[in-house]
């Protein structure tokens, strides 16, 4: 019964070299007026302008695979499916994107090979290049032994994920059975958080901007009919779907009551939010509370039933929830006690136990067995 | 076992006269190039600019109390606690605000008197006047027989609800045991919904912008310490808390991991999100799905326990969930079949039955008994 972390980030060494050489966001730099703070990673423009902190400290936990393995061992995580952290490669000049993506994806694959059995990966697409180049990279990735999907943000080729220019990309991902790990990056404009935003540190944009960005992006995908055109496309939503499990009912109701959609004949005959949740969407368990986790389980439903003829038990019928444990490492480190288990990890583990009971089969499924099945780990 | 609707709006006749006389948003007007569309209410600037529709039709269901009673009868709703719909009176010139608020609140009170036992009200505050004027109106409202609280948006006196200038207002509301019905209005900037927003009608801003506005507002209230300074202040959050039940764990985690809040000594020693949810916050049941409703119930918890000495039953211990049925009438009317029960109402009724079982005591509590107790209806 392995523990598998499907939401865990790295900036592999090949990417760190690029980020260190850059002179603007996103980049890794030293601040000369604050020499003790060391290297800092600035991934969002507002992190440079804010009064509370400039970027975030970036130590080896972000790029040294030995640190990832040590973190896994500390938390008894057997397998990590690593993905680049935001902003991935969206910012690359078009002419460099495809080659850099190959370089970075191969660097990650090497890491997985060097730690056989411990690491798998979601690769990164050269989205600032053309759809054609992206499809080429997907075809290449299909041959990498440890690649199980791709991580993407919400901007797509620049016009969002509901842009029909992405159709060849969805088609290629569906064909190669690659899971799309959809992860927020841009959040919401800072003014929506009010004039006292900075007094509350990063709480409002991190706690609310990110989840809403994910919810908007996946709802746009649903409304634009992507899951009708690509019925076997599978998406893993970061942070338990942002807010989708809670808002799915309201979204469906707003669709059913929208005069414009009715006039356009777009209300019925399409895969609805609940159907997409139960057929195309997987969720991570990065929600930090059993209340949210229960909603995520209820919303995404059970994947399939296994009739266990050969087991000498009464568990003939098995529900496989479409949820998989994650940590968001190396983000949300403890503010003190670095050697202890991380609160951000233990609170997600506790949420699973709180929602499903300690040591139950369904809890263990979410902790790892679901990921092994869904991502075909170990094969 | 009455059915009580705590989320139901009206523009009383006194306010309609004002809205008809105005020449800019918010206002009620005819569009000369579309004479068949009748009077239309424009409450948000983007409703005038959008390509799909200009404002919304405003018929007597918005201002004629006979229509409200007919709607209640159709859906077997015994009591409605009516509130003004957004944008309330936030837009009034300061010098007119206090007098207009008195006029409008008295008009609503008269409506309740004329329909004794069927109608109660959340009043509206003259927030564009001064805090002093607002407190005076609260004191006056406390003597109105049918007033059970106030409805407010998220802007407060202009700087949001975490503005300490509001403290005398919270103090007066707490003193007079008036429930604060917090309701969204501004949503989110339209650009966050992407370039194809208009193709999806009003779905994205209504389904996601509103709930997030509520979530941000109440989180700012919590972070600024309002519920520490006014520990008996009670707030009813529209739309089952926006997204608060689902995001509460993430918000708490972001607080616990925020270096700025730690440096300022603001992490511990304050009422946390979960404590505020269980002590200060009530939720309506306007969430359109049992998944969301279950999360709302789990998050807001049980209000108190009643040891029923005198009942000859085994129900000695009674959990009173902090949730109350609502409809959002007259918004979300059916797109066809006006004489039938409204889908937006029946889906919320079905969510309660789905979450708690048809005809169970807890379902009946949410349908009405909770509101009777919490709002002291019938006294």
């Amino acid at each position: 019964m392995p523990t598998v972390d499907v939401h865990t980030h790295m900036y592999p060494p090949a990417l760190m070299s690029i980020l260190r050489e850059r002179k603007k966001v996103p980049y890794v730099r030293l601040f000369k007026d604050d020499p003790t703070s060391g290297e800092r990673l600035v991934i969002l423009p507002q992190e440079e302008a804010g009064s509370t902190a400039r970027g975030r400290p970036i130590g080896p936990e972000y790029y040294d695979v030995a640190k990832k393995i040590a973190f896994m061992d500390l938390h008894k995580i057997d397998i990590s499916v690593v993905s680049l952290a935001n902003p991935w490669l969206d910012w690359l000049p078009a002419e460099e994107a495809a080659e850099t993506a190959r370089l970075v994806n191969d660097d990650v694959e090497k890491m997985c090979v060097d730690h056989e059995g411990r690491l798998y990966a979601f690769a990164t697409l050269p989205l600032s290049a053309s759809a054609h180049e992206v499809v080429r990279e997907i075809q290449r990735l299909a041959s990498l032994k440890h690649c199980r999907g791709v991580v993407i943000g919400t901007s797509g080729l620049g016009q969002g994920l509901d842009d029909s220019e992405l159709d060849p990309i969805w088609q290629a991902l569906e064909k190669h059975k690659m899971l799309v790990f959809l992860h927020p990056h841009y959040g919401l404009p800072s003014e929506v958080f009010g004039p006292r935003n900075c007094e509350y540190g990063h709480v409002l944009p991190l706690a609310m901007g990110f989840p809403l960005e994910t919810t908007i992006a996946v709802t746009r995908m649903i409304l634009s009919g992507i899951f009708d055109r690509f019925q076997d496309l599978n998406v893993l939503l970061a942070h338990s779907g942002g807010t989708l499990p809670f808002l799915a009912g309201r979204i469906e109701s707003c669709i059913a009551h929208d005069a414009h959609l009715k006039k356009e004949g777009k209300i019925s005959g399409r895969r609805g939010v609940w159907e997409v949740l139960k057929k195309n969407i997987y969720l991570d368990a990065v929600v930090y509370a059993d209340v949210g986790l229960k909603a995520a389980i209820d919303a995404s439903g059970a994947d399939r039933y296994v009739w266990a003829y050969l087991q000498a038990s009464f568990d003939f019928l098995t529900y496989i929830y479409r949820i998989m444990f994650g940590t968001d490492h190396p983000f949300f480190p403890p503010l003190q006690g670095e050697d202890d288990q991380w609160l951000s990890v233990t609170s997600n583990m506790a949420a699973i136990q709180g929602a499903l009971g300690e040591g139950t089969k369904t809890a263990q499924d979410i902790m790892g067995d679901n990921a092994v099945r869904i991502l075909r780990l170990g094969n």
Side-chain angles (χ1 to χ4, degrees), chain A residues 240-282:
Chain A
S240 296
T243 63
L244 186 65
F246 191 75
L247 290 183
R250 184 173 174 88
I251 296 167
E252 277 286 282
S253 182
C254 284
I255 293 171
H257 290 93
D258 196 86
H260 174 75
L261 290 183
K262 182 174 163 63
K263 194 170 138 198
E264 302 273 314
K266 288 184 176 172
I267 290 184
S268 56
R270 59 163 64 198
R271 201 170 264 198
V273 179
W274 293 110
E275 195 178 352
V276 171
L277 262 163
K278 290 177 198 303
K279 290 192 178 166
N280 303 91
I281 287 178
Y282 293 95

Side-chain angles (χ1 to χ4, degrees), chain A residues 80-109:
Chain A
S80 285
V81 186
V82 297
S83 49
L84 245 64
N86 45 322
W88 312 287
L89 303 174
D90 295 4
W91 44 274
L92 281 169
E95 64 278 10
E96 298 171 21
E99 190 185 331
T100 305
R102 286 193 290 274
L103 186 77
V104 168
N105 288 330
D106 285 347
D107 202 29
V108 173
E109 176 66 17

Side-chain angles (χ1 to χ4, degrees), chain A residues 315-330:
Chain A
D315 285 317
F316 289 140
L317 203 59
T318 305
Y319 295 81
I320 312 290
Y321 293 123
R322 300 168 63 86
I323 316 251
M324 299 178 269
F325 172 71
T327 63
D328 219 346
H329 179 261

Side-chain angles (χ1 to χ4, degrees), chain A residues 203-217:
Chain A
V203 171
L204 297 174
L206 276 179
M208 276 164 267
F210 265 26
L212 202 80
E213 182 190 350
T214 306
T215 317
I216 293 171

Side-chain angles (χ1 to χ4, degrees), chain A residues 14-32:
Chain A
L15 180 61
M16 279 300 289
S17 304
I18 297 168
L19 289 170
R20 284 191 178 109
E21 278 165 24
R22 283 174 57 82
K23 301 295 174 208
K24 58 181 181 176
V25 173
Y27 63 161
V28 170
R29 57 167 290 190
L30 295 163
F31 287 92
K32 286 184 182 159

